[in-house]
């Protein structure tokens, strides 16, 4: 139920993405998508995202979900261009490992955006 893909260009790893299936709710979570900053804007992230969607369809998952703390609008536009719908925001999100200390609360006011792409109704 899980997979990991690597984008390679001229012998260099330029991007990665992972997908983790959840049998309980029949979803796939798109995780850890990243493209080297020197190769952004070339369609690599979109190709990686499509690979996750293909994986979900081939394995009969009903939807694909993702969460992101990305502040760059380009990331959000990418998800929407792939068909994802913005379904919510968690304010003051704490990253795994954060202690929620006074300093962290002062400097890390993260917003966690949730997206979903419904492939088919169950």
């Amino acid at each position: 139920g899980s997979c990991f893909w690597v984008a390679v260009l001229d012998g260099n790893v330029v991007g990665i993405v992972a997908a983790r299936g959840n049998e309980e709710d029949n979803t796939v979570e798109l995780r850890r998508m990243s493209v080297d900053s020197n190769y952004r804007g070339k369609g690599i992230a979109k190709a990686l995202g499509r690979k996750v969607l293909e994986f979900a369809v081939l394995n009969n998952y009903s939807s694909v979900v993702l969460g992101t703390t990305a502040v760059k609008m380009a990331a959000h536009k990418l998800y929407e261009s792939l068909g994802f719908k913005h379904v919510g925001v968690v304010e003051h999100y704490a990253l795994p490992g954060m202690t929620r200390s006074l300093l962290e609360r002062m400097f890390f006011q993260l917003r966690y955006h949730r997206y979903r792409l419904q492939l088919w109704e169950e």
Side-chain angles (χ1 to χ4, degrees):
S2 298
C3 213
F4 184 82
W5 294 271
V6 177
V8 177
L9 187 62
D10 299 327
N12 298 309
V13 173
V14 297
I16 60 165
V17 70
R20 181 174 65 183
N22 182 339
E23 301 300 324
E24 289 179 21
D25 63 1
N26 200 31
T27 63
V28 168
E29 182 181 11
L30 185 153
R31 299 180 51 90
R32 307 287 186 254
M33 182 157 50
S34 180
V35 174
D36 184 305
S37 60
N38 295 320
Y39 294 91
R40 291 183 185 157
K42 299 182 184 316
I44 295 167
K46 189 170 262 193
L48 289 168
R50 285 182 178 147
K51 201 67 176 164
V52 172
L53 300 180
E54 179 183 308
F55 171 80
V57 168
L58 289 173
N59 288 283
N60 295 313
Y61 286 100
S62 62
S63 61
V64 182
V65 297
L66 68 89
T68 183
T69 57
V71 294
K72 293 186 178 184
M73 287 309 298
H76 298 275
K77 288 183 184 212
L78 167 70
Y79 304 136
E80 290 169 3
S81 76
L82 288 166
F84 285 88
K85 303 289 183 226
H86 191 260
V87 294
V89 177
V90 176
E91 298 288 342
H92 307 294
Y93 179 73
L95 291 170
M98 286 180 72
T99 63
R100 302 290 294 156
S101 69
L102 177 61
L103 282 176
E104 284 181 351
R105 287 188 308 233
M106 286 173 52
F107 292 105
F108 297 103
Q109 299 293 319
L110 297 176
R111 299 177 83 202
Y112 185 76
H113 297 265
R114 294 179 300 129
Y115 286 85
R116 173 180 287 275
L117 188 144
Q118 196 70 36
L119 299 170
W120 53 273
E121 296 295 327
E122 291 195 82

